[in-house]
């Protein structure tokens, strides 16, 4: 919207979002480390839960850092291509309706 290319917009957005995503992920993961390193009664259940939660957060962070900007780029590229193919048709529709209104 501000005149940047789609690629520049995706990279700028990824750069801006990178630090908050990592800080949130690391805070959450470090908070789950006691689950992951549990000992004593019921330790296996806690370790399994900790492993699952930490792995899920790592996966979600990777998706947020890499997949979201890439999907934005491809969706915007497709939308821009579709808008450009629809412009000539839209002009024809306007001409036809203006002739009918006369």
């Amino acid at each position: 919207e501000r005149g940047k290319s789609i690629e520049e917009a995706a990279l700028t957005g990824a750069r801006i979002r990178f630090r908050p995503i990592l800080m949130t992920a690391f805070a959450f993961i470090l908070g789950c480390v006691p689950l992951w390193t549990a000992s004593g009664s019921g330790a296996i259940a806690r370790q399994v839960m900790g492993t699952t939660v930490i792995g899920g957060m790592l996966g979600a962070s990777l998706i947020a850092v890499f997949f979201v900007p890439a999907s934005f780029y491809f969706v915007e590229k497709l939308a821009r291509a579709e808008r450009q193919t629809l412009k000539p048709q839209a002009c024809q529709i306007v001409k036809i309706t203006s002739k009918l209104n006369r």
Side-chain angles (χ1 to χ4, degrees):
E1 293 179 1
R2 295 184 181 166
K4 288 187 175 186
S5 68
I6 298 172
E7 184 178 338
E8 283 181 81
L11 289 174
T12 302
R15 213 174 291 119
I16 290 170
R17 295 175 63 240
F18 184 69
R19 184 172 178 239
I21 289 170
L22 286 186
M23 289 178 68
T24 304
F26 285 142
F28 187 79
I29 289 169
L30 289 174
C32 292
V33 167
L35 271 177
W36 195 38
T37 60
S39 61
S41 179
I44 299 298
R46 289 187 187 97
Q47 289 171 356
V48 169
M49 191 182 332
T51 302
T52 304
V53 169
I54 290 172
M57 193 63 195
L58 287 172
S61 298
L62 291 174
I63 287 171
V65 168
F66 296 110
F67 182 72
V68 171
S71 62
F72 167 80
Y73 174 78
F74 289 118
V75 168
E76 284 296 315
K77 193 93 164 164
L78 289 173
R80 184 171 287 178
E82 186 175 324
R83 270 186 253 134
Q84 288 178 352
T85 59
L86 290 178
K87 281 183 182 178
Q89 294 171 356
C91 291
Q92 290 175 349
I93 291 170
V94 170
K95 288 178 185 176
I96 292 169
T97 55
S98 66
K99 288 180 183 177
L100 292 175
N101 290 335
R102 288 184 190 173

